Amino acid sequence: MESFKTILFFLICSTMLCWVTGEVQRHQFVIQATPVKRLCNTHMAITVNGMLPGPTLEVKNGDTLEIEVVNKARYNATIHWHGVRQMRTGWADGPEFVTQCPIRPGGSYTYRFTIEGQEGTLWWHAHSSWLRATVYGALIIRPREGESYPFPKPKRETAIVLGEWWDANPIDVVRQATMTGAAPNNSDAYTINGQPGDLYKCSSKDTTIVPIDVGETNLLRVINAALNQPLFFTVANHKLTVVGADASYLKPFTTSVIMLGPGQTTDVLIQGNQLPARYYMAARAYQSAQNAPFDNTTTTAILEYKSAPCPAKKGINGPKPIMPSLPAYNDTNTVTAFSQSFRSPRKVEVPTEIDESLFFTVGLGLNNCPPNFPSSRCQGPNGTRFTASMNNVSFVLPQSISLLQAHQHGIPGVFTTDFPGTPPLKFDYTGNVSQSLYQPVPGTKLYKLKYGSKVQIVLQDTSIVTPENHPIHLHGYDFYIVAEGFGNFDPKTDTSKFNLVDPPQRNTVGVPVNGWAAIRFVADNPGVWIMHCHLDVHITWGLAMAFVVENGLGELQSLQAPPPDLPIC
């Protein structure tokens, strides 16, 4: 990959012209089939540049990226830069049929965007079908030249990318589920930096090793790139000091275990303060959906002290690495205590006068078997087909043009702007729900926001089919998580619990199982932005919606023109 550095560019800030130095980095990502051996079997996995995970992008706040994506695979593909604000550059956001048509096999597209005011850990991944099972990598944003972290500079930094592996072609897995209407097959392993680790067959010789030494403080940048599973992560005998999440700094706090939903990142400091030896890092499922089958295996890497005794390093006759204890798979109390520890480092400007107060139910559903379908295509519970929705609308993507193109060019008939701001029917969301409410309405409905409007969304889990912790990701924005709770949200009593002083800023919120979360943001980025559950099985079923944010006044408050190489459908 080439990188051309240090090009001066102008940035207009407030009313004066400011000089800002930033690098323009140019890279090429080649999406291609690559033989990858895991769990004793070799599969032709779709990768970027033949790597799994793909290349780590290391940039500074203020840098501009130009990444040419060349599709040499046999599937349509796009790349999403998860958590990048994409100010006025919605054409570079990447979700298929939302901001662009897919890059067809043999085609290419150059994503161009600038990192503005973000520092910490993000990541990139495919946003087309289930390609992101193997097409993903870290995106590390360091402070500008001359600026520093708000914590002591670590001796070293390591990306810890948690993944999910199928001993099958993931595209075949989702296609089979779509055909049968049943839930897709569970994964066969979790991975750390692409490797399952010592507890799986044919895996130990490639287990990821993370170095540390006595007295060092190191930064682990943990990313949950798993397709469908929130994950606990811990390191034997070591505490983790959380200092950031989703490329926003946090008031530091110390814990023995962290939990990340798919899409989320967490930056933690780890001290080399134990006896020189080898210690397992381990990750396994947090499973909040009762009675739903899941992959209950454990992935490991090894934290290895450089001064550890030689036999331990070779691992031949020496003791095995020390194994940490992990929370129970359904330990919601640990998840709640962890998420409620998050605070911004100082007082932040949370929107207070709200222009748009929205209430979105999120959850699963079951479609009745269409009369023309054979029973083989209705293998969900009691002869149904699984579906999912927000506010009883199951999101349907267009197939012939992207939503952003239809919005920009005023093309009618692609979407409507009547997505309901509140549930069409009020019910006991977390109680026993009548089966008459299990079947949502399919549609391509968007919600329109005026530029600069102050938005509050209460995201309410439902117990339709099963309650579950849903990681909800909003493209194009960071937001403040002002509160979360269990049961049905009650504006009379729950609003008083809102933290409007130092709430954490994130791009993906875990809506508690059988509970709710409240987020706030200012709609200052024009374009079309999808909000969806980051469990890919759920977005496949329609657990998504999208906002149309209108242009403001003048060029700096308006969406840029589409690039000439934007893929055509």
Side-chain angles (χ1 to χ4, degrees):
M1 287 188 305
E2 354 171 49
S3 177
F4 298 90
K5 299 196 168 178
T6 322
I7 294 178
L8 200 63
F9 63 87
F10 297 104
L11 181 73
I12 296 182
C13 55
S14 63
T15 56
M16 55 188 285
L17 190 66
C18 300
W19 290 82
V20 177
T21 54
E23 295 173 2
V24 175
Q25 291 198 28
R26 295 189 178 95
H27 303 279
Q28 186 181 69
F29 277 15
V30 179
I31 300 175
Q32 61 193 43
T34 304
V36 176
K37 187 173 185 180
R38 299 287 187 274
L39 309 182
C40 314
N41 296 316
T42 299
H43 294 276
M44 292 303 291
I46 306 301
T47 67
V48 168
N49 297 355
M51 301 164 64
L52 179 63
T56 295
L57 296 174
E58 300 193 35
V59 303
K60 291 193 290 294
N61 182 3
D63 283 0
T64 294
L65 283 163
E66 294 184 3
I67 301 169
E68 182 193 23
V69 176
V70 180
N71 186 4
K72 292 187 176 178
R74 60 190 174 107
Y75 306 108
N76 291 341
T78 65
I79 300 289
H80 168 53
W81 316 94
H82 184 111
V84 173
R85 282 292 316 270
Q86 298 290 359
M87 296 302 295
R88 303 175 49 238
T89 52
W91 306 106
D93 190 44
E96 182 178 67
F97 291 116
V98 178
T99 59
Q100 68 169 97
C101 296
I103 306 167
R104 304 288 183 191
S108 67
Y109 176 48
T110 300
Y111 293 88
R112 298 174 176 87
F113 56 91
T114 299
I115 307 288
E116 298 182 48
Q118 295 183 280
E119 293 176 18
T121 306
L122 295 175
W123 62 300
W124 56 265
H125 61 80
H127 213 298
S128 181
S129 184
W130 274 22
L131 279 190
R132 84 168 178 87
T134 52
V135 177
Y136 60 84
L139 171 54
I140 294 167
I141 309 167
R142 296 199 170 84
R144 297 179 191 274
E145 207 70 56
E147 298 181 5
S148 58
Y149 298 133
F151 46 82
K153 185 175 170 61
K155 176 77 174 176
R156 72 180 79 233
E157 303 179 11
T158 308
I160 304 290
V161 189
L162 309 177
E164 199 168 5
W165 176 261
W166 275 260
D167 204 5
N169 179 347
I171 304 296
D172 292 343
V173 173
V174 68
R175 282 178 176 170
Q176 180 191 21
T178 304
M179 178 63 70
T180 63
N185 292 340
N186 291 319
S187 57
D188 297 289
Y190 301 111
T191 57
I192 296 178
N193 293 353
Q195 296 295 339
D198 288 359
L199 306 185
Y200 298 92
K201 60 185 180 182
C202 304
S203 300
S204 55
K205 74 178 176 62
D206 296 311
T207 296
T208 299
I209 307 269
V210 178
I212 197 168
D213 213 352
V214 175
E216 285 184 359
T217 299
N218 292 349
L219 176 63
L220 304 180
R221 299 176 176 274
V222 189
I223 300 165
N224 186 353
L227 213 66
N228 291 318
Q229 193 62 59
L231 294 167
F232 289 114
F233 173 83
T234 188
V235 183
N237 293 16
H238 290 72
K239 295 282 192 187
L240 305 172
T241 300
V242 178
V243 293
D246 293 1
S248 291
Y249 293 120
L250 293 168
K251 194 170 289 177
F253 68 95
T254 300
T255 178
S256 58
V257 64
I258 64 176
M259 196 287 288
L260 306 90
Q264 293 184 322
T265 74
T266 307
D267 290 349
V268 298
L269 296 174
I270 186 168
Q271 308 261 354
N273 57 8
Q274 297 299 307
L275 287 173
R278 305 170 101 215
Y279 299 85
Y280 274 128
M281 301 174 155
R284 78 174 187 191
Y286 164 50
Q287 178 65 4
S288 59
Q290 286 186 347
N291 304 320
F294 67 100
D295 178 352
N296 64 1
T297 61
T298 302
T299 180
T300 55
I302 297 171
L303 183 74
E304 181 176 273
Y305 279 75
K306 290 185 288 181
S307 52
C310 286
K313 278 195 177 180
K314 289 175 183 162
I316 301 165
N317 301 314
K320 278 194 161 183
I322 297 159
M323 190 71 188
S325 61
L326 280 146
Y329 296 112
N330 62 351
D331 189 348
T332 293
N333 289 340
T334 290
V335 173
T336 304
F338 176 64
S339 66
Q340 291 185 349
S341 301
F342 281 52
R343 295 281 185 278
S344 283
R346 61 193 66 81
K347 190 177 190 307
V348 291
E349 288 189 31
V350 188
T352 49
E353 301 294 320
I354 299 300
D355 302 309
E356 296 275 1
S357 186
L358 306 174
F359 185 94
F360 292 174
T361 56
V362 298
L364 304 185
L366 296 173
N367 281 333
N368 295 331
C369 194
N372 58 330
F373 275 30
S375 58
S376 62
R377 296 202 60 191
C378 299
Q379 295 183 31
N382 303 317
T384 58
R385 291 175 59 83
F386 272 108
T387 183
S389 67
M390 286 189 174
N391 276 357
N392 204 46
V393 179
S394 188
F395 194 66
V396 179
L397 286 170
Q399 292 300 308
S400 57
I401 194 167
S402 74
L403 297 170
L404 188 58
Q405 287 168 290
H407 164 62
Q408 176 82 347
H409 301 301
I411 299 168
V414 179
F415 64 84
T416 57
T417 53
D418 57 346
F419 184 86
T422 55
L425 188 70
K426 290 186 169 57
F427 57 97
D428 181 2
Y429 308 113
T430 55
N432 289 323
V433 182
S434 163
Q435 296 220 350
S436 64
L437 297 174
Y438 273 39
Q439 186 156 324
V441 178
T444 310
K445 296 174 182 286
L446 279 59
Y447 192 92
K448 193 174 279 190
L449 293 172
K450 281 195 167 20
Y451 183 91
S453 58
K454 299 172 179 67
V455 184
Q456 173 180 295
I457 309 172
V458 175
L459 296 158
Q460 172 74 59
D461 186 30
T462 71
S463 56
I464 294 175
V465 184
T466 179
E468 191 166 355
N469 182 296
H470 293 277
I472 303 295
H473 172 47
L474 174 59
H475 287 230
Y477 287 90
D478 288 327
F479 47 74
Y480 291 110
I481 304 173
V482 295
E484 60 177 53
F486 291 100
N488 297 334
F489 175 75
D490 184 343
K492 292 190 184 71
T493 56
D494 289 329
T495 307
S496 63
K497 303 171 190 168
F498 284 10
N499 175 7
L500 303 180
V501 178
D502 60 353
Q505 189 176 46
R506 304 206 69 169
N507 63 55
T508 305
V509 57
V511 178
V513 55
N514 249 331
W516 54 270
I519 66 172
R520 291 185 177 186
F521 64 95
V522 178
D524 59 358
N525 193 9
V528 175
W529 306 105
I530 190 170
M531 184 167 75
H532 64 89
C533 183
H534 221 280
L535 306 178
D536 270 30
V537 59
H538 290 178
I539 188 175
T540 303
W541 290 338
L543 212 172
M545 59 79 63
F547 290 104
V548 180
V549 180
E550 297 175 329
N551 286 336
L553 299 173
E555 186 184 352
L556 292 181
Q557 293 183 1
S558 300
L559 178 69
Q560 292 179 4
D565 63 337
L566 190 73
I568 56 173
C569 284

